[in-house]
Amino acid sequence: YMLQIGSFRRSTDADSQKAKLALLGIQARISTAQVNGITYHRVVSGPYPGKQAAEQAKALLSRNGLDSFATKVK
């Protein structure tokens, strides 16, 4: 499982989100994607070894006011 913890048009906003996550002890990275010709900077964490680990990280994020969603990776 991977968690996406934000998608930003400005890379500086993604960097700021990544720094907030580091303070919570969550290692994240920024991936860049083109959507309809617009560049987005996605802040993602993982992969987590299983659904339970991803849900624990998601709960930590939620307790700290951060939204996220999980996707299953193959």
Side-chain angles (χ1 to χ4, degrees):
Y1 290 85
M2 298 288 293
L3 293 179
Q4 181 172 315
I5 312 135
S7 181
F8 304 92
R9 292 197 49 196
R10 295 183 342 172
S11 62
T12 55
D13 293 336
D15 288 334
S16 177
Q17 182 80 313
K18 183 180 171 190
K20 288 178 191 175
L21 295 170
L23 292 174
L24 295 175
I26 295 179
Q27 186 177 12
R29 67 181 184 284
I30 299 169
S31 66
T32 303
Q34 291 284 324
V35 179
N36 296 325
I38 300 170
T39 301
Y40 288 92
H41 306 278
R42 296 176 178 161
V43 181
V44 296
S45 178
Y48 292 91
K51 186 175 182 179
Q52 183 177 359
E55 286 178 352
Q56 287 174 342
K58 191 170 173 31
L60 172 64
L61 293 165
S62 181
R63 286 192 304 272
N64 286 277
L66 296 169
D67 292 328
S68 64
F69 68 90
T71 56
K72 191 172 183 177
V73 293
K74 296 179 183 184

